[in-house]
Amino acid sequence: MLNTAFDSRQPSRAVEGHLAKLWANPARHEELLEVAEILRGRINRLTPVVEEIVHLPLRLHARYSRGEALAAFGMEVSGSMVAGVQWLPDQQADVFLVTISKNERQFSPTTMYNDRAISRTRFQWESQGRTREQSATGQRYINHETLGSTVHLFLRETKEDAYNYAGPMSYVEHEGERPMRIVWELAHPLPADVFHYAKVTTG
């Protein structure tokens, strides 16, 4: 996760070199510690450990970049990755990276998904346009609990924002295919401010 903050174009093993350069510059090192203290004082939300994934370095309702979110699940992150859904077989986890406020300048017609919060614990999400109900991916979504995999939601209001980790969620029901419109039950309620922007739908 730290490596993505330095340079997501390089593999995660490059983090040691990045840290060595930082420690070799005392002024930059001290400045970073001062900034960390200032940011710690601005924390306005509790971010507890998520019991369902206590082995991963994620906190509920904390904010992450795309690279940090995927690296937390052990994925080698490329700076060019743009997909909003990733299956991580090593962790048996699906990760959804959802932008609520979409516009035609930033999203293609095929990615203008109708994703929104129905309530603080229910979320409507549309799969990628090629996903069929009977496909391996569709069946994994529907039967993830039986199969032993987990599904995780990261939300942001616009493309300029960091993602809020909304935690794991469970399949409730779906309709249609290509895309599948799925309703999920969140294990933890959305904070009021996140629910406020997430309940707005674009179409």
Side-chain angles (χ1 to χ4, degrees), residues 40-61:
R40 186 175 288 112
R42 294 180 181 176
I43 294 174
N44 60 5
R45 175 181 293 145
L46 293 176
T47 56
V49 171
V50 183
E51 292 183 7
E52 295 91 336
I53 53 162
V54 69
H55 62 292
L56 297 180
L58 290 169
R59 296 274 185 150
L60 184 68
H61 304 313

Side-chain angles (χ1 to χ4, degrees), residues 7-162:
D7 188 350
S8 63
R9 296 169 299 178
Q10 296 190 35
S12 57
R13 63 179 179 275
V15 71
E16 296 297 334
H18 296 316
L19 287 172
K21 291 177 182 178
L22 177 61
W23 302 148
N25 187 328
R28 186 64 58 84
H29 182 196
E30 289 301 317
E31 181 182 22
L32 183 60
L33 292 175
E34 291 174 9
V35 170
E37 282 302 313
I38 292 170
L39 294 176
R40 186 175 288 112
R42 294 180 181 176
I43 294 174
N44 60 5
R45 175 181 293 145
L46 293 176
T47 56
V49 171
V50 183
E51 292 183 7
E52 295 91 336
I53 53 162
V54 69
H55 62 292
L56 297 180
L58 290 169
R59 296 274 185 150
L60 184 68
H61 304 313
R63 290 158 56 90
Y64 299 97
S65 69
R66 174 187 298 273
E68 289 171 332
L70 295 175
F73 286 87
M75 185 172 186
E76 192 70 58
V77 180
S78 163
S80 62
M81 298 180 74
V82 296
V85 57
Q86 294 288 340
W87 164 242
L88 292 311
D90 289 346
Q91 290 291 339
Q92 288 293 289
D94 274 292
V95 175
F96 299 165
L97 298 148
V98 175
T99 303
I100 294 295
S101 181
K102 304 176 179 72
N103 62 64
E104 294 177 357
R105 290 182 292 103
Q106 296 176 313
F107 290 83
S108 69
T110 59
T111 59
M112 294 285 283
Y113 302 117
N114 189 358
D115 304 322
R116 65 186 180 93
I118 299 169
S119 72
R120 290 184 64 184
T121 57
R122 288 273 170 116
F123 193 81
Q124 174 185 287
W125 174 84
E126 287 191 348
S127 71
Q128 292 179 310
R130 64 178 178 273
T131 305
R132 293 180 181 273
E133 178 182 342
Q134 294 303 320
S135 67
T137 299
Q139 288 297 299
R140 188 177 71 243
Y141 294 155
I142 295 169
N143 301 301
H144 71 95
E145 290 182 322
T146 302
L147 296 171
S149 65
T150 56
V151 182
H152 302 266
L153 179 64
F154 290 82
L155 282 176
R156 64 181 178 182
E157 184 172 11
T158 72
K159 288 191 75 169
E160 288 70 39
D161 298 322

Side-chain angles (χ1 to χ4, degrees), residues 158-199:
T158 72
K159 288 191 75 169
E160 288 70 39
D161 298 322
Y163 288 95
N164 179 293
Y165 176 48
M169 53 188 186
S170 302
Y171 170 86
V172 176
E173 62 185 7
H174 78 279
E175 61 180 16
E177 59 179 22
R178 302 181 66 187
M180 295 172 66
R181 181 173 290 181
I182 305 176
V183 174
W184 301 92
E185 179 76 17
L186 287 158
H188 307 276
L190 293 172
D193 60 322
V194 176
F195 175 60
H196 179 72
Y197 72 69
K199 67 182 179 180

